[in-house]
Amino acid sequence: MKFLVSNWKMNGDVEFAENFFEKVNRIDTKNRVIVCPPFPLLHKFKDFSHSLGAQNCSERTSGAFTGEISPLLLKDLGCEYVIIGHSERRRMFNESDETIYKKYKTLTDLNLTPIVCIGETEEERSEWRDVLSIQLNKFKDDGNLSRAIIAYEPIWSIGTGKTPTAAEIHEVLNFIKRTTHSKCPTLYGGSVNIKNISDILRIPSIDGVLIGGASLKIEEFSEMVRCSVC
Ligand code: PEP
């Protein structure tokens, strides 16, 4: 079994969600498929045969926080997973490691699984160990870590068509596993598509992939869901 996480980002509409549901629902697969549409489309995935996730959440569960989304409400809507710390949120919405850790705590306390994204920029590529160590610092010895998933997403690879080599991904995922005492699954994300997914899923240290753009092509994603390299 490999994890296949589909991150729609701020894409899709009601019609797209209905088409996606119809095509992907009930595909027979050994993989754990987790679909993360935008918040207003989550309700379209009621009775979905695969798993549902959200792309972000508040670190709090209720209160006077206009515009925030409670993880409790996400649970109510059927979400089992929540992506946190995506590089787009870190960079464009100034999310700090501290905030991401608070979200992780809230989620694991609620028995929701955080998918914690970490990764280095192009400029930081030669220092990836230092960058990832800082991003993992609060999590690595946390008692709830076995309830989380870590996704390695090099920022220079997201949406660019550029991917690290299989050996590079293997080295980084092994580093993450060593740092976190192999307590949780480790995924790779960044320009995964129908052409490279089989090779990527054959990397020994990988537990799955996070797919952005290519998961919006419903036929292509359906084929990836069926992928049985795993
Ligand atoms: C992502 O946004 O997490 C991602 C992996 O995007 P893409 O697959 O488009 O590179």
Side-chain angles (χ1 to χ4, degrees), residues 86-99:
H86 192 282
S87 58
E88 287 151 17
R89 297 220 55 91
R90 288 177 189 263
R91 284 183 307 146
M92 295 179 212
F93 302 96
N94 299 320
E95 285 196 10
S96 64
D97 288 323
E98 180 70 35
T99 305

Side-chain angles (χ1 to χ4, degrees), residues 4 24 27-31 33 50 197 220-228:
L4 257 65
V24 177
I27 292 181
D28 192 23
T29 177
K30 290 199 184 86
N31 299 315
V33 179
H50 304 288
I197 191 167
E220 188 167 321
F221 183 65
S222 302
E223 227 179 293
M224 292 194 265
V225 168
R226 290 191 188 94
C227 172
S228 63

Side-chain angles (χ1 to χ4, degrees), residues 149-164:
I149 294 174
I150 305 281
Y152 168 56
E153 298 210 296
I155 295 164
W156 52 270
S157 176
I158 295 178
T160 59
K162 291 193 261 176
T163 54

Side-chain angles (χ1 to χ4, degrees), residues 7 9 86 88 153 157-159 189-192 210-213:
N7 175 16
K9 313 193 187 203
H86 192 282
E88 287 151 17
E153 298 210 296
S157 176
I158 295 178
S191 295
V192 175
L210 207 155
I211 312 164

